[in-house]
């Protein structure tokens, strides 16, 4: 059985120690790093080599861009948010999984495995270029359409739209609709005259 290398970035010592205690023993995750700052993990990432990182969503929320954009060496590392408070949906899209503060050990293990599978299925480092369908979705987002409207326009499910939006966020490092609109304008994907006010 493979042992996955796990890093925890959390400011609360109680939460960090609690996670470490829960994962100690029969778990197939080995905690190889604990710290309070993403910067420290980013600097030591090559040496530590985690397969998955649990990061408090509030810590990452302070970054001006996504974790993978801020720390390109984490492109192939699965990211799991530790949700201790309510966060906006947009900021949570950068994660491969979300662990709730009230989750049980079996739920945490399932979510960590899910994060690894999600990251493996969606290799962010392969290309920062948007696919044709991602460009289509970005154009419609920039034109002010909601997910449901985009799904109807492109004849795809709303879940597919959300998946494309997650990929766009990962590739561009931009989380807000306003930022994506500026990105679309700067990259000549939309014309300013086509924008609805």
């Amino acid at each position: 059985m493979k042992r996955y290398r796990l890093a925890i970035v959390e400011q609360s010592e109680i939460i960090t120690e609690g996670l470490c205690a829960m994962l100690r023993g029969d778990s197939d995750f080995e905690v190889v790093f604990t710290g309070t700052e993403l910067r420290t993990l980013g600097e030591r990432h090559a040496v530590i080599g985690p397969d998955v990182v649990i990061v408090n969503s509030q810590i990452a929320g302070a970054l001006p861009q996504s974790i993978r954009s801020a720390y390109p060496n984490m492109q192939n590392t699965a990211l799991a948010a530790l949700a201790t408070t309510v966060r906006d949906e947009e900021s949570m899209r950068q994660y491969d999984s979300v662990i709730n503060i009230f989750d049980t050990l079996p739920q945490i293990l399932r979510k960590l495995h899910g994060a690894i599978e999600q990251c493996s299925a969606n290799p962010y480092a392969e290309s920062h270029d948007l696919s044709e369908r991602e460009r289509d979705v970005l154009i419609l987002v920039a034109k002010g359409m909601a997910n449901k409207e985009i799904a109807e326009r492109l004849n795809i499910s709303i879940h597919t739209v959300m998946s494309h939006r997650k990929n766009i966020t990962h590739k561009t490092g931009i989380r807000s609709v306003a930022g994506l609109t500026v990105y679309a304008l700067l990259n000549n994907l939309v014309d300013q005259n086509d924008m609805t006010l």
Side-chain angles (χ1 to χ4, degrees):
M1 175 172 73
K2 176 172 171 135
R3 297 263 300 165
Y4 294 101
R5 297 173 61 80
L6 173 70
I8 300 171
V9 181
E10 167 59 58
Q11 292 177 328
S12 167
E13 189 175 345
I14 292 172
I15 293 173
T16 300
E17 289 302 317
L19 278 170
C20 289
M22 289 175 77
L23 295 169
R24 202 171 289 126
D26 294 336
S27 155
D28 42 345
F29 290 92
E30 174 189 4
V31 178
V32 294
F33 172 87
T34 61
T36 59
E37 295 182 1
L38 268 170
R39 183 180 47 81
T40 305
L41 177 61
E43 291 168 354
R44 299 178 54 203
H45 186 272
V47 175
I48 297 165
D51 297 301
V52 61
V53 176
I54 296 175
V55 60
N56 187 308
S57 58
Q58 290 181 310
I59 294 171
L63 292 174
Q65 56 192 347
S66 73
I67 295 171
R68 288 187 175 98
S69 294
Y71 302 100
N73 53 350
M74 290 193 203
Q75 290 292 325
N76 293 320
T77 304
L79 298 175
L82 178 61
T84 56
T85 61
V86 176
R87 301 293 299 173
D88 64 293
E89 182 181 327
E90 197 70 31
S91 68
M92 297 305 274
R93 287 192 177 143
Q94 69 178 310
Y95 299 102
D96 300 300
S97 185
V98 178
I99 296 170
N100 186 293
I101 191 78
F102 301 108
D103 284 347
T104 63
L105 179 59
Q107 290 170 319
I108 293 170
L109 294 174
R110 188 178 73 249
K111 289 178 178 183
L112 288 173
H113 282 287
I116 291 169
E117 289 171 17
Q118 172 68 21
C119 186
S120 297
N122 191 4
Y124 305 104
E126 282 184 9
S127 173
H128 289 287
D129 295 333
L130 299 178
S131 70
E132 184 176 339
R133 185 55 100 182
E134 288 166 351
R135 283 193 300 273
D136 293 340
V137 170
L138 176 59
I139 289 166
L140 296 177
V141 167
K143 290 183 177 182
M145 291 189 172
N147 288 347
K148 185 176 179 184
E149 295 171 304
I150 295 170
E152 290 170 1
R153 172 73 66 89
L154 298 177
N155 199 26
I156 57 178
S157 76
I158 194 164
H159 298 291
T160 303
V161 171
M162 291 167 60
S163 177
H164 286 310
R165 288 190 67 170
K166 181 177 180 180
N167 292 341
I168 292 165
T169 297
H170 281 297
K171 290 179 179 181
T172 64
I174 302 169
R175 295 185 233 171
S176 69
V177 172
L180 290 172
T181 302
V182 170
Y183 178 90
L185 285 166
L186 292 175
N187 287 282
N188 299 315
L189 297 174
V190 293
D191 187 84
Q192 188 172 2
N193 297 328
D194 294 338
M195 307 302 292
T196 57
L197 299 175

